[in-house]
């Protein structure tokens, strides 16, 4: 089954003492000890980010790998990726991520992996990338619409609660018709898609939410989606 888990924010890099979302991702693989490949393209393959992933996932029942396109671990990227059970994409610059993937053919490889049952996951830029469109904000808070890979229909904004520019930008882009309707996701919340449909909305934080966001007759409507809290 084709699966994607899109996090608004959270996971090992944002919640180092709260592994609930990362543990959930690991449980979606049928492998007893899944091979997990971290792709840090959006951070410019930052070494500290890679080390943080390896430290965090080294404490779980899995085998961590990483794919830094600036220093690829294999000449055969397709074989390297298709050998894994889970792909976990980090945050950062969404435009850099998409441009680099398209130049190297990793976008095509990831689609093949998804179609063959590799679980795809990620946060921020690593969640925007899977949708038809996404909201990206620069350091000044200016929002723009991004064209993603289109594995998931509709649009997506991460950091819906934590960074007001994303929520405001999503609503503004919707109002002007520069982006279509989709989902806004708080930090600590993930939307799990299975077979192209929303399977479950999950959260590592009580009170965090996801929202369906639509332009209805010129007005913006947000419809709350209450996640299943993964904690006790």
């Amino acid at each position: 089954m084709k699966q994607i888990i899109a996090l608004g924010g959270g996971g090992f890099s944002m919640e180092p003492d709260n592994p609930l979302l990362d543990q959930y991702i690991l449980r979606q693989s049928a492998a007893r000890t899944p091979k997990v490949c971290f792709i840090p393209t959006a951070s410019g393959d930052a070494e500290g980010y890679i080390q943080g992933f390896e430290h965090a996932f080294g404490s779980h029942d899995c085998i961590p790998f990483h794919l830094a396109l600036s220093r690829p671990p294999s000449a055969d990227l397709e074989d390297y990726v298709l050998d894994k059970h889970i792909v976990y994409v980090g945050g950062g610059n969404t435009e850099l991520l998409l441009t680099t993937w398209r130049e190297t053919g990793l976008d095509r490889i990831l689609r093949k992996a998804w179609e063959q049952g590799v679980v795809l996951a990620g946060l921020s830029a690593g969640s925007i990338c899977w949708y038809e469109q996404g909201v990206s904000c620069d350091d000044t808070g200016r929002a723009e619409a991004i064209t993603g890979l289109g594995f998931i229909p509709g649009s997506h904004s991460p950091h819906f609660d934590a960074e007001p520019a994303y929520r405001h930008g999503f609503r503004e882009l919707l109002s002007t018709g520069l982006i279509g309707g989709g989902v806004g996701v708080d930090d600590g919340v993930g939307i799990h898609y299975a077979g192209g449909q929303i399977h479950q909305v999950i959260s590592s934080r009580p009170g965090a939410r996801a929202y369906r966001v639509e332009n209805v007759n010129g007005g913006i409507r947000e419809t709350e989606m209450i996640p299943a809290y993964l904690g006790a």
Side-chain angles (χ1 to χ4, degrees), residues 8-25:
F12 74 94
S13 62
M14 294 182 67
E15 300 179 304
D17 299 320
N18 185 354
L20 291 173
L21 290 173
D22 293 339
Q23 290 171 342
Y24 180 87
I25 291 169

Side-chain angles (χ1 to χ4, degrees), residues 16-229:
D17 299 320
N18 185 354
L20 291 173
L21 290 173
D22 293 339
Q23 290 171 342
Y24 180 87
I25 291 169
L26 290 172
R27 289 197 298 270
Q28 306 319 306
S29 170
R32 186 171 183 176
T33 307
K35 300 176 185 177
V36 186
C37 183
F38 179 57
I39 303 182
T41 311
S43 69
D45 296 336
E47 189 60 37
Y49 206 178
I50 295 168
Q51 291 173 358
F53 164 78
E54 292 178 340
H55 174 75
F57 277 75
S59 65
H60 296 304
D61 190 12
C62 67
I63 306 171
F65 296 83
H66 70 270
L67 172 55
L69 290 171
S70 59
R71 42 188 189 278
S74 170
D76 190 336
L77 292 181
E78 182 170 314
D79 182 68
Y80 185 81
V81 171
L82 295 181
D83 178 60
K84 308 304 183 289
H85 302 105
I86 299 171
V87 166
Y88 191 125
V89 182
N93 185 320
T94 311
E95 288 273 24
L96 172 65
L97 177 154
L98 290 166
T99 298
T100 305
W101 285 6
R102 287 165 176 148
E103 288 175 348
T104 59
L106 187 59
D107 58 337
R108 174 188 58 81
I109 293 169
L110 289 170
R111 177 174 286 276
K112 187 171 183 179
W114 175 57
E115 291 172 344
Q116 293 187 7
V118 176
V119 178
L120 305 181
L123 75 154
S124 195
S127 61
I128 293 171
C129 62
W130 310 122
Y131 290 79
E132 289 178 325
Q133 293 179 292
V135 178
S136 180
C137 291
D138 61 22
D139 292 338
T140 69
R142 184 180 64 88
E144 63 176 332
I146 297 287
T147 300
L149 300 179
F151 296 5
I152 302 172
S155 60
H156 169 65
S157 173
H159 311 306
F160 217 56
D161 60 336
E163 299 185 38
Y166 278 90
R167 192 175 207 149
H168 175 77
F170 198 180
R171 295 174 66 92
E172 189 173 78
L173 291 167
L174 269 171
S175 295
T176 55
L178 293 175
I179 201 168
V183 290
V185 185
D186 288 352
D187 286 356
V189 174
I191 301 182
H192 181 184
Y193 295 84
Q197 304 294 323
I198 294 179
H199 169 65
Q200 190 172 22
V201 182
I202 46 97
S203 174
S204 62
R205 306 178 187 181
R209 295 288 185 265
Y211 303 85
R212 295 187 186 276
V213 188
E214 306 165 282
N215 186 333
V216 180
N217 299 322
I220 305 305
R221 176 189 295 168
E222 294 183 5
T223 305
E224 191 175 85
M225 293 189 285
I226 300 176
Y229 175 52

